[in-house]
Structures are given as structure tokens and as C-alpha cells.
Amino acid sequence: MDPREEFLAWAEPALHAAEAALVNGDPSRRIEMWSHREPVSLFGAVGVSTTGWTQLEPTFRRVAARLAGGQDVKLDVMAFDVVGDMAYTAAVVRFTGTIDGSAPRPFALRATSVFRREEGEWKVIHEHTDFVSPEDTMPSGGS
């Protein structure tokens, strides 16, 4: 398996599992897959944008506390690449759930993640998410 195939074989299920847990109020998988080394940064769709692990971990916990009832979580990786010890994914995450106790409804987020290989493991070092507007046409499917 080439490095790109190997990365995607790990990234798709890892990202899917982390997102499925997060939209059900559990930040543990996300915390585990993120680098705890600087620099790390987040431009989040839900919650604040911040830098530094000491700010990110509590941000993930606050965001998870706002989310519940995540169902039908799908992750569609639209693009990805690996260059040495760096990689990225550009994906759409779809789920049905609630934010801040709202009625359950469908959500779609664009999510771009940047990874760094640390001691042989891929770790997220940056993520940028935003909500897909109803006018956007994004393919559905995925894992």
C-alpha cells in the first residue's frame, strides 16, 4: 500500500469515529487524535477559533457539551494528500442531531484537517470547519 492509501485507510475511519462521538457529546476520540504539541489550531464552526493545546482541549469539551443525539453520521472525503510527514483531508461531515438543545435536524459541515506524523502516528494539527449552506451542492455518500 502506498503512503496515500495507507493514510486514507487510517484517516477515514478515525475521523468518522471522532465525529460520531463528538456529535453525541463525547470529545475523547477527538482529543486522542489531535496533537498535544505546538503549533495546533482550530477554526471551528461550533465554538471559538483558537490556538494552543491548552485552549483546544477545553474547547473540544465545551463543543461536545453543546451537541447531542448525533445520528446517521457520514464522512465524505473529497480530497486528501500526503507529503512526507504532513497530510490533509478535505471532507464533508453530515449528521442529524441537536446543538444547544434544539430540535434534531440535519447538519452538513465542510471540514479541512491538517495532519502531522508524530512518532509514527498521524495527529491533527489544524482544522477548519464551516456549515454548508443550503445553496451549496455537495455530493453525499461516504462512510
Side-chain angles (χ1 to χ4, degrees):
M1 195 178 309
D2 75 26
R4 290 183 80 245
E5 291 170 337
E6 188 176 303
F7 170 74
L8 189 61
W10 169 82
E12 275 188 314
L15 288 167
H16 182 268
E19 293 306 309
L22 188 70
V23 300
N24 279 290
D26 177 6
S28 62
R29 288 182 181 237
R30 176 173 283 256
I31 289 168
E32 180 183 309
M33 76 181 302
W34 272 71
S35 176
H36 297 196
R37 292 190 218 164
E38 305 303 332
V40 291
S41 54
L42 172 70
F43 296 159
V46 178
V48 299
S49 296
T50 191
T51 62
W53 182 248
T54 60
Q55 298 301 311
L56 282 175
E57 183 176 6
T59 296
F60 293 149
R61 292 184 189 286
R62 280 191 303 274
V63 168
R66 297 178 61 195
L67 302 172
Q71 302 175 39
D72 303 321
V73 179
K74 295 187 178 21
L75 175 85
D76 298 317
V77 174
M78 311 299 288
F80 72 99
D81 204 1
V82 175
V83 179
D85 287 335
M86 300 289 289
Y88 82 93
T89 58
V92 175
V93 180
R94 299 176 191 282
F95 65 97
T96 299
T98 68
I99 297 178
D100 297 330
S102 66
R105 68 180 185 92
F107 292 94
L109 293 162
R110 285 181 287 249
T112 301
S113 302
V114 180
F115 299 80
R116 174 174 59 219
R117 195 180 343 243
E118 297 178 355
E119 299 172 17
E121 292 185 30
W122 288 109
K123 296 291 182 176
V124 180
I125 60 170
H126 175 75
E127 183 176 84
H128 183 182
T129 58
D130 67 343
F131 288 100
V132 175
S133 71
E135 300 82 42
D136 290 341
T137 54
M138 301 295 288
S140 63
S143 50

